[in-house]
Amino acid sequence: MAIIHVDGKQYEVKGGENLLQTCLSLGLDIPYFCWHPALDSVGACRQCAVKQYKDGDDKQGRIVMSCMTPTTDNTWISIDDEESKEFRETIISFLMTNHPHDCPVCEEGGHCHLQDMTVMTGHHNREYRFTKRTHRNQELGPFIAHEMNRCISCYRCVRFYNDYAGGTDLGVYGSAANVYFGREKDGTLESEFSGNLTEVCPTGVFTDKTHSERYTRKWDMQFSPSICASCSVGCNISPGERYGEVRRIENRYHGELNGYFLCDRGRFGYGHVNRKDRPRQLLVSKDGRREAMDAGDTLDFIRQQLQAGKPVLGIGSPRASIESNYALRELVGTAHFSNGQTALDAALTRLCLDVLRQGPAKCATPSSIEDADAVLVLGEDVLATAPRIALALRQAAKGKADTMCAEKKVPDWQAASAKDIAQRLLNPVFVATPAATRFDDIAAATHRAAAPDLARLGYAIAHALDASSPAVEGLDTKTAELAQRIAAALKAAKRPLVISGTGCGDAAVIQAAANIAWALQASHPAAEICLAVPESNSIGLALFEAVDLEAALARAAAQPSVLVVVENDLYARLPAAQVDAALARSTLIVLDHQDTRTAQRAQALLPAASFAEGDGTLINYEGRAQRYFQNFDPAYYDRSVAVAESWRWLDRLQNGDAARENLDEVLAQAEAALPALKGIAAAAPNASFRIKGMKIARAPQRQSGRTAARANIFVHEPRSTQDADSALAFSMEGVNGASGVDRPPELLPFAWAPGWNSPQAWNKFQAEVGGALRGGDPGVHLVKAAASRPAYYSAVPAALKPNGALRVEPLYQHFGSEELSSLAAPIQQRIPASYAALSVGDAARLGVNHAERISITLDGQTFSLPARVRPDLPAGVLGLPVGLAGVPPLKAGSAATVAKGA
Amino acid sequence: MSLRSAKDPNYQKPLTRLIDTAAGPLDLKGHEAEGGYAALRKAIKDLKPQDVQAKVKEANLRGRGGAGFPTGIKWSLIPMGPDAGAKYLVCNADEMEPGTFKDRLLMEQAPHQLVEAMAVAAYAIQAQTGYIFLRGEYVVAAERLNKAIAEARAAGLLGQNILGGPWSFELYVHTGAGRYICGEETALINSLEGRRANPRAKPPFPQIAGLWGRPTIVNNVETLSNVPHILLNGPTWFKELNQGKTSDAGTKMYGVSGRANQPGCWELPMGTTARELLEVHAGGMRGGKKLKAWLPGGASTDFLLPEHLDLPMDFDTIARAGSRMGTGLITVVAEDQSIVSAVRNLEEFFARESCGWCTPCRDGLPWTVKILRAIENGQGKTGDIEQLSKMTRWLGPGRTFCAHAPGAMEPLQSAIKYFRDEFEIGIVCDIDSAKPDVCILPAGLPDITTDRDLAQKKAS
């Protein structure tokens, strides 16, 4: 607690942070560049200067950088002081000496922090009359455009990319007034978090190349509060739309989940929404050809099929909303509803859910992961399966610097000093996975083994922590020593953490991770667990009582049925023969927003809404229900587009004219029908929520050209689409943030506040800058940890004994393993070529050279892939990249036979 | 062969008494014959590390790199004791201050003096490793220092268990890549670690977290070179070396460059006047020209005038005169030299040597250079001098991240103060020859031009 005096006013503040952060939290504006709430202070730009006084009587004072000055009790400062104001304006004039003033053609314009700060300081008169330095730009790959002339050398890009995200291929070159931020040479930025450069850069040096192709100013886009569906983390996003297309994804701040940063898969993977080959009309298959039909006829056709007397089976999807899955369950009946997941995925997800709600270990969020001081990653390549967690994990490792700073009495927000003090010392992170990961660089030790052996290591660690947990027989000395070492590190920590998940497809791994987290509880109540699950709504589906996909398909194969498949490509989950057998004699009705292989076989295909065209709820890996809201109405620009949420189609199918009016009604019924969903409706305010009688506008108040937007179709401007499902209004009418009235954090469509057009505007929505959003970070926890520990898991698996056949280990890819993002053209450029990974020993035994083709027989399928001989892979294992072209759906742990040759 | 020290029987020039530039530096044997490494032997055999620190503190040795910070106090901030862990001693030998060449002389001509000094200083702070961060262009010094280190190591004066005691010390020469900013001790540390040579934020000071995050002392070559002599002859002797000329202790490596008859570098009592340096040691101004101004100790010190020549050259007196003694090697400007050109030359150096970290320095210095070039070419505009004056404030102490830009502003602000007329000559009346009735005002001034203003401008 500290009392500070700013321009004669007294404030009571927390104290301990820096004056810039304190003042911003108080709602006082001080311009800044190099400081960032997640990157802390380095004092480079000198923009945040204020006058500091010794005491209330000191009239002279001295200029200090507020970001570098601690907030201590009895601090006296002035932001309004004339000399400070003049200095701050001068700093802008210095930055402008080399800035090209190209705002009209710059894609940062309108959400540019440099523009905002220039206006804030009042700098409007150019006094510099000499030449400007210029730079050559680089080709940085499909995501990021580079325009170095705009650079103001704030160093944020390298501080984010290298220091925060662990990148190695972006650097700062040159010196003096010729400082260059780029790669050593042209080439794709390698980091999985490169997209954050577009938001971290305060001006237009790094801009979103995927947006560039269909560029729209921020103020001309329509936004919605949305949830990324590219993995199970549930990062909050803010998609921006114009003319019926998603044009960009921006980060939507969430204090506990994504904070300020997204992964590239989430940010740039939206292209599936805009694909030309998406089903946008109702399609009915006649004589092998698909024809568009109107809704009434199609729904009648489908109703006839449903009532034809054949069993009706519903196949839901972990990438569809709770509402759509629920509506399907209603349509087909509980007994005929499948969760659409393979038996293995469903069982593993269910196991994760059990661990979270039957055990006492709390589920970690990315923000709590950052505070962990010893971490074991068991089996999960989180950079591929739940990328935002990997970024948080990196901060956990670097948390060592905070401890060391405290010892040296240096505030930990002194980012450069923290780096100087900690050097390369990190908190212990142990990475035990089947194959190398791209975060091995922060590992105190890595361990490579097949899933059963990873589980054995995990059980041994748990046993070392609590002797009453099951021991592991016959562990080799090296692994036993490692288990002791990891157990000791976890024990020595204050906030130990175990990260695991469904990624290596083995229940024993998850069970071992649970045992460790539970064994720690007695001595470490703060010990947490984090379990990544396969998809954006996997946990949601686990809350439904449902059969798995194999069971549903077996029923359809045994008896001709009507299959209603919601947003699920069955061919991506199970071997084609198995799917074909089920579909051969069945009637297939598909609801999807992508023309998947399954959709192409449908007798009737209903165009479902993607996340951008519909509302719904997703439940993330923690069991947090979060609502996403429709970004735009595609029919506004094209009346022939019949896209609607799957739940809406299903409701109309079932109830016809008596269909429910809006999402709230669906949610209310789902809550009533499924006790596990209790509370889900509270994830966001309902459709009747109003502020002073008004809805919340999706578009910024300055959105322009609405009158002309449809003029090429018809001169008459129709009424904006009315949204019955939410408290949000399409277009710019409604509460937009200009009035200073807080909107609920779940309903913030975009970051904007008066004077703050850039993503830095999030400062204006937080209770404390960098902390939780005012009103609380969005989401409702449907899953809560238990008070006491259940019995330890005890099914310690046997060690893998190579016996000729190879055990399949799925290798998840950041780009390529996730279905929807892989449909986006820029992502496709980053998907690696397919391969099959072999250990050096197995390759030698099989006589296979690197890059040579090998033939693989697996679960009755035979296919061929080029071999990649990898020194990191353990013996007896075949690593197959999930989801890549030429790699069929995999069952982890299957035995594969491999032979040389195609 | 007679002993070199014989020419200084009273031990009045400790730093240079063994230097004979014609004969070259002494090898280990020669150096030891002259009393070399006696201080190290004394320290290790008879003194505790804290005793060595106390003697240096009592001697009031002040840093010879330019800032004059008391060396003993600097050392006393370093953690001592058995739990202190790894510590480093770094010699700042990145002598790049324009007009300064004293450390070069000491390193090229008396390399063993520095090696011994580092060993003694490292013993005092109980550092296990030392680095001489040497200016890259000092090729001869690098060669001679490395040779001296090899000799000392072979003789057991460096390395493991020095002189049979429990203390070990390794010493390395690290040559720089040619950046002035590496003379700033924290930028030097970054450079030594292989990072960009940007200065670090303080606190933590290097004594707490320096090289590799460990406690580190950075001292200048000349500063360190004094240490063995203090140990051998005592603090009182050291304090009296100034011959009563000033309150600052010891001798000082002084020098003169610029248009003097015999530019050079000499070890003289602390507090010797600049007049003695210029007129006695450097033989006066070349070609009988009058002295116009002088920089007391490098490019980053304020100009002084001929009227200041009789002040004793010590840290506090020169500071009171409005400048800094800096390195103590003065640069003289003759009456027929343009002060604008001189300053422009200095600022070009500073602009080029900015590390590029903080805005005022990175972007303000090039702007300063461009204005100075315009004025130098007679193309200055109304308001340019005011803009330069603003620069001296906005690039001043506290505004920038380190002392580089404030140092750069020192010669500029004093040049404007003393020679404003020379700047004014370079300002043209902003009248567009194509449209003589339109007066173009510099940006930023309100356009209130009247016929009368124009007439006045033309008349002037």
Side-chain angles (χ1 to χ4, degrees), chain B residues 306-319:
Chain B
E307 69 200 52
H308 300 113
L309 279 176
D310 294 315
L311 297 174
M313 287 276 284
D314 64 40
F315 293 108
D316 299 335
T317 309
I318 300 298

mmCIF file with all atom_site columns, all heavy atoms in Angstrom, chain B residues 306-319:
data_model
loop_
_atom_site.group_PDB
_atom_site.id
_atom_site.type_symbol
_atom_site.label_atom_id
_atom_site.label_alt_id
_atom_site.label_comp_id
_atom_site.label_asym_id
_atom_site.label_entity_id
_atom_site.label_seq_id
_atom_site.pdbx_PDB_ins_code
_atom_site.Cartn_x
_atom_site.Cartn_y
_atom_site.Cartn_z
_atom_site.occupancy
_atom_site.B_iso_or_equiv
_atom_site.pdbx_formal_charge
_atom_site.auth_seq_id
_atom_site.auth_comp_id
_atom_site.auth_asym_id
_atom_site.auth_atom_id
_atom_site.pdbx_PDB_model_num
ATOM 1   N N   . PRO B 1 306 ? 40.875 30.354 -22.624 1.00 0.00 ? 306 PRO B N   1
ATOM 2   C CA  . PRO B 1 306 ? 42.250 30.628 -22.170 1.00 0.00 ? 306 PRO B CA  1
ATOM 3   C C   . PRO B 1 306 ? 42.279 31.116 -20.725 1.00 0.00 ? 306 PRO B C   1
ATOM 4   O O   . PRO B 1 306 ? 43.217 30.828 -19.984 1.00 0.00 ? 306 PRO B O   1
ATOM 5   C CB  . PRO B 1 306 ? 42.717 31.710 -23.135 1.00 0.00 ? 306 PRO B CB  1
ATOM 6   C CG  . PRO B 1 306 ? 41.924 31.486 -24.376 1.00 0.00 ? 306 PRO B CG  1
ATOM 7   C CD  . PRO B 1 306 ? 40.586 30.988 -23.919 1.00 0.00 ? 306 PRO B CD  1
ATOM 8   N N   . GLU B 1 307 ? 41.238 31.833 -20.314 1.00 0.00 ? 307 GLU B N   1
ATOM 9   C CA  . GLU B 1 307 ? 41.231 32.366 -18.946 1.00 0.00 ? 307 GLU B CA  1
ATOM 10  C C   . GLU B 1 307 ? 41.192 31.257 -17.880 1.00 0.00 ? 307 GLU B C   1
ATOM 11  O O   . GLU B 1 307 ? 41.420 31.521 -16.708 1.00 0.00 ? 307 GLU B O   1
ATOM 12  C CB  . GLU B 1 307 ? 40.035 33.305 -18.765 1.00 0.00 ? 307 GLU B CB  1
ATOM 13  C CG  . GLU B 1 307 ? 38.688 32.586 -18.770 1.00 0.00 ? 307 GLU B CG  1
ATOM 14  C CD  . GLU B 1 307 ? 37.495 33.501 -19.084 1.00 0.00 ? 307 GLU B CD  1
ATOM 15  O OE1 . GLU B 1 307 ? 37.559 34.207 -20.106 1.00 0.00 ? 307 GLU B OE1 1
ATOM 16  O OE2 . GLU B 1 307 ? 36.525 33.493 -18.310 1.00 0.00 ? 307 GLU B OE2 1
ATOM 17  N N   . HIS B 1 308 ? 40.876 30.048 -18.277 1.00 0.00 ? 308 HIS B N   1
ATOM 18  C CA  . HIS B 1 308 ? 40.823 28.942 -17.317 1.00 0.00 ? 308 HIS B CA  1
ATOM 19  C C   . HIS B 1 308 ? 42.136 28.161 -17.244 1.00 0.00 ? 308 HIS B C   1
ATOM 20  O O   . HIS B 1 308 ? 42.239 27.186 -16.506 1.00 0.00 ? 308 HIS B O   1
ATOM 21  C CB  . HIS B 1 308 ? 39.704 27.957 -17.692 1.00 0.00 ? 308 HIS B CB  1
ATOM 22  C CG  . HIS B 1 308 ? 38.326 28.567 -17.707 1.00 0.00 ? 308 HIS B CG  1
ATOM 23  N ND1 . HIS B 1 308 ? 37.596 28.719 -18.866 1.00 0.00 ? 308 HIS B ND1 1
ATOM 24  C CD2 . HIS B 1 308 ? 37.587 29.093 -16.709 1.00 0.00 ? 308 HIS B CD2 1
ATOM 25  C CE1 . HIS B 1 308 ? 36.435 29.278 -18.579 1.00 0.00 ? 308 HIS B CE1 1
ATOM 26  N NE2 . HIS B 1 308 ? 36.395 29.531 -17.275 1.00 0.00 ? 308 HIS B NE2 1
ATOM 27  N N   . LEU B 1 309 ? 43.148 28.594 -18.000 1.00 0.00 ? 309 LEU B N   1
ATOM 28  C CA  . LEU B 1 309 ? 44.369 27.792 -18.112 1.00 0.00 ? 309 LEU B CA  1
ATOM 29  C C   . LEU B 1 309 ? 45.117 27.629 -16.796 1.00 0.00 ? 309 LEU B C   1
ATOM 30  O O   . LEU B 1 309 ? 45.864 26.668 -16.616 1.00 0.00 ? 309 LEU B O   1
ATOM 31  C CB  . LEU B 1 309 ? 45.327 28.425 -19.148 1.00 0.00 ? 309 LEU B CB  1
ATOM 32  C CG  . LEU B 1 309 ? 45.045 28.121 -20.618 1.00 0.00 ? 309 LEU B CG  1
ATOM 33  C CD1 . LEU B 1 309 ? 46.008 28.906 -21.498 1.00 0.00 ? 309 LEU B CD1 1
ATOM 34  C CD2 . LEU B 1 309 ? 45.150 26.625 -20.904 1.00 0.00 ? 309 LEU B CD2 1
ATOM 35  N N   . ASP B 1 310 ? 44.931 28.551 -15.872 1.00 0.00 ? 310 ASP B N   1
ATOM 36  C CA  . ASP B 1 310 ? 45.721 28.494 -14.646 1.00 0.00 ? 310 ASP B CA  1
ATOM 37  C C   . ASP B 1 310 ? 45.053 27.706 -13.531 1.00 0.00 ? 310 ASP B C   1
ATOM 38  O O   . ASP B 1 310 ? 45.579 27.631 -12.421 1.00 0.00 ? 310 ASP B O   1
ATOM 39  C CB  . ASP B 1 310 ? 46.044 29.917 -14.165 1.00 0.00 ? 310 ASP B CB  1
ATOM 40  C CG  . ASP B 1 310 ? 46.972 30.609 -15.157 1.00 0.00 ? 310 ASP B CG  1
ATOM 41  O OD1 . ASP B 1 310 ? 47.944 29.957 -15.584 1.00 0.00 ? 310 ASP B OD1 1
ATOM 42  O OD2 . ASP B 1 310 ? 46.688 31.751 -15.552 1.00 0.00 ? 310 ASP B OD2 1
ATOM 43  N N   . LEU B 1 311 ? 43.896 27.119 -13.835 1.00 0.00 ? 311 LEU B N   1
ATOM 44  C CA  . LEU B 1 311 ? 43.242 26.307 -12.806 1.00 0.00 ? 311 LEU B CA  1
ATOM 45  C C   . LEU B 1 311 ? 43.970 24.976 -12.679 1.00 0.00 ? 311 LEU B C   1
ATOM 46  O O   . LEU B 1 311 ? 44.396 24.398 -13.681 1.00 0.00 ? 311 LEU B O   1
ATOM 47  C CB  . LEU B 1 311 ? 41.776 26.035 -13.208 1.00 0.00 ? 311 LEU B CB  1
ATOM 48  C CG  . LEU B 1 311 ? 40.878 27.260 -13.333 1.00 0.00 ? 311 LEU B CG  1
ATOM 49  C CD1 . LEU B 1 311 ? 39.517 26.843 -13.865 1.00 0.00 ? 311 LEU B CD1 1
ATOM 50  C CD2 . LEU B 1 311 ? 40.727 27.952 -11.993 1.00 0.00 ? 311 LEU B CD2 1
ATOM 51  N N   . PRO B 1 312 ? 44.120 24.501 -11.446 1.00 0.00 ? 312 PRO B N   1
ATOM 52  C CA  . PRO B 1 312 ? 44.713 23.159 -11.312 1.00 0.00 ? 312 PRO B CA  1
ATOM 53  C C   . PRO B 1 312 ? 43.789 22.121 -11.949 1.00 0.00 ? 312 PRO B C   1
ATOM 54  O O   . PRO B 1 312 ? 42.577 22.154 -11.753 1.00 0.00 ? 312 PRO B O   1
ATOM 55  C CB  . PRO B 1 312 ? 44.819 22.968 -9.793  1.00 0.00 ? 312 PRO B CB  1
ATOM 56  C CG  . PRO B 1 312 ? 43.929 23.981 -9.184  1.00 0.00 ? 312 PRO B CG  1
ATOM 57  C CD  . PRO B 1 312 ? 43.787 25.105 -10.157 1.00 0.00 ? 312 PRO B CD  1
ATOM 58  N N   . MET B 1 313 ? 44.396 21.211 -12.698 1.00 0.00 ? 313 MET B N   1
ATOM 59  C CA  . MET B 1 313 ? 43.604 20.167 -13.354 1.00 0.00 ? 313 MET B CA  1
ATOM 60  C C   . MET B 1 313 ? 43.298 19.062 -12.347 1.00 0.00 ? 313 MET B C   1
ATOM 61  O O   . MET B 1 313 ? 44.075 18.116 -12.191 1.00 0.00 ? 313 MET B O   1
ATOM 62  C CB  . MET B 1 313 ? 44.383 19.600 -14.536 1.00 0.00 ? 313 MET B CB  1
ATOM 63  C CG  . MET B 1 313 ? 44.474 20.524 -15.733 1.00 0.00 ? 313 MET B CG  1
ATOM 64  S SD  . MET B 1 313 ? 43.024 20.412 -16.787 1.00 0.00 ? 313 MET B SD  1
ATOM 65  C CE  . MET B 1 313 ? 43.355 18.866 -17.601 1.00 0.00 ? 313 MET B CE  1
ATOM 66  N N   . ASP B 1 314 ? 42.202 19.235 -11.628 1.00 0.00 ? 314 ASP B N   1
ATOM 67  C CA  . ASP B 1 314 ? 41.731 18.140 -10.790 1.00 0.00 ? 314 ASP B CA  1
ATOM 68  C C   . ASP B 1 314 ? 40.216 18.026 -10.969 1.00 0.00 ? 314 ASP B C   1
ATOM 69  O O   . ASP B 1 314 ? 39.596 18.881 -11.598 1.00 0.00 ? 314 ASP B O   1
ATOM 70  C CB  . ASP B 1 314 ? 42.115 18.345 -9.318  1.00 0.00 ? 314 ASP B CB  1
ATOM 71  C CG  . ASP B 1 314 ? 41.457 19.567 -8.710  1.00 0.00 ? 314 ASP B CG  1
ATOM 72  O OD1 . ASP B 1 314 ? 40.274 19.827 -9.006  1.00 0.00 ? 314 ASP B OD1 1
ATOM 73  O OD2 . ASP B 1 314 ? 42.127 20.288 -7.943  1.00 0.00 ? 314 ASP B OD2 1
ATOM 74  N N   . PHE B 1 315 ? 39.633 16.990 -10.411 1.00 0.00 ? 315 PHE B N   1
ATOM 75  C CA  . PHE B 1 315 ? 38.222 16.704 -10.680 1.00 0.00 ? 315 PHE B CA  1
ATOM 76  C C   . PHE B 1 315 ? 37.323 17.853 -10.241 1.00 0.00 ? 315 PHE B C   1
ATOM 77  O O   . PHE B 1 315 ? 36.463 18.313 -11.001 1.00 0.00 ? 315 PHE B O   1
ATOM 78  C CB  . PHE B 1 315 ? 37.803 15.409 -9.966  1.00 0.00 ? 315 PHE B CB  1
ATOM 79  C CG  . PHE B 1 315 ? 38.476 14.180 -10.528 1.00 0.00 ? 315 PHE B CG  1
ATOM 80  C CD1 . PHE B 1 315 ? 39.471 13.526 -9.821  1.00 0.00 ? 315 PHE B CD1 1
ATOM 81  C CD2 . PHE B 1 315 ? 38.116 13.686 -11.779 1.00 0.00 ? 315 PHE B CD2 1
ATOM 82  C CE1 . PHE B 1 315 ? 40.092 12.401 -10.332 1.00 0.00 ? 315 PHE B CE1 1
ATOM 83  C CE2 . PHE B 1 315 ? 38.725 12.559 -12.299 1.00 0.00 ? 315 PHE B CE2 1
ATOM 84  C CZ  . PHE B 1 315 ? 39.728 11.907 -11.577 1.00 0.00 ? 315 PHE B CZ  1
ATOM 85  N N   . ASP B 1 316 ? 37.542 18.359 -9.030  1.00 0.00 ? 316 ASP B N   1
ATOM 86  C CA  . ASP B 1 316 ? 36.577 19.310 -8.481  1.00 0.00 ? 316 ASP B CA  1
ATOM 87  C C   . ASP B 1 316 ? 36.750 20.722 -9.040  1.00 0.00 ? 316 ASP B C   1
ATOM 88  O O   . ASP B 1 316 ? 35.787 21.426 -9.285  1.00 0.00 ? 316 ASP B O   1
ATOM 89  C CB  . ASP B 1 316 ? 36.683 19.320 -6.948  1.00 0.00 ? 316 ASP B CB  1
ATOM 90  C CG  . ASP B 1 316 ? 36.376 17.943 -6.361  1.00 0.00 ? 316 ASP B CG  1
ATOM 91  O OD1 . ASP B 1 316 ? 35.644 17.181 -7.048  1.00 0.00 ? 316 ASP B OD1 1
ATOM 92  O OD2 . ASP B 1 316 ? 36.868 17.625 -5.271  1.00 0.00 ? 316 ASP B OD2 1
ATOM 93  N N   . THR B 1 317 ? 38.021 21.142 -9.242  1.00 0.00 ? 317 THR B N   1
ATOM 94  C CA  . THR B 1 317 ? 38.251 22.503 -9.733  1.00 0.00 ? 317 THR B CA  1
ATOM 95  C C   . THR B 1 317 ? 37.687 22.676 -11.143 1.00 0.00 ? 317 THR B C   1
ATOM 96  O O   . THR B 1 317 ? 37.014 23.662 -11.446 1.00 0.00 ? 317 THR B O   1
ATOM 97  C CB  . THR B 1 317 ? 39.763 22.820 -9.726  1.00 0.00 ? 317 THR B CB  1
ATOM 98  O OG1 . THR B 1 317 ? 40.280 22.501 -8.448  1.00 0.00 ? 317 THR B OG1 1
ATOM 99  C CG2 . THR B 1 317 ? 40.006 24.281 -10.041 1.00 0.00 ? 317 THR B CG2 1
ATOM 100 N N   . ILE B 1 318 ? 37.965 21.703 -11.990 1.00 0.00 ? 318 ILE B N   1
ATOM 101 C CA  . ILE B 1 318 ? 37.486 21.818 -13.367 1.00 0.00 ? 318 ILE B CA  1
ATOM 102 C C   . ILE B 1 318 ? 35.948 21.749 -13.395 1.00 0.00 ? 318 ILE B C   1
ATOM 103 O O   . ILE B 1 318 ? 35.299 22.421 -14.184 1.00 0.00 ? 318 ILE B O   1
ATOM 104 C CB  . ILE B 1 318 ? 38.118 20.720 -14.261 1.00 0.00 ? 318 ILE B CB  1
ATOM 105 C CG1 . ILE B 1 318 ? 39.645 20.852 -14.264 1.00 0.00 ? 318 ILE B CG1 1
ATOM 106 C CG2 . ILE B 1 318 ? 37.590 20.806 -15.675 1.00 0.00 ? 318 ILE B CG2 1
ATOM 107 C CD1 . ILE B 1 318 ? 40.197 22.154 -14.826 1.00 0.00 ? 318 ILE B CD1 1
ATOM 108 N N   . ALA B 1 319 ? 35.388 20.977 -12.479 1.00 0.00 ? 319 ALA B N   1
ATOM 109 C CA  . ALA B 1 319 ? 33.924 20.909 -12.402 1.00 0.00 ? 319 ALA B CA  1
ATOM 110 C C   . ALA B 1 319 ? 33.360 22.276 -12.013 1.00 0.00 ? 319 ALA B C   1
ATOM 111 O O   . ALA B 1 319 ? 32.355 22.735 -12.562 1.00 0.00 ? 319 ALA B O   1
ATOM 112 C CB  . ALA B 1 319 ? 33.492 19.847 -11.396 1.00 0.00 ? 319 ALA B CB  1
#
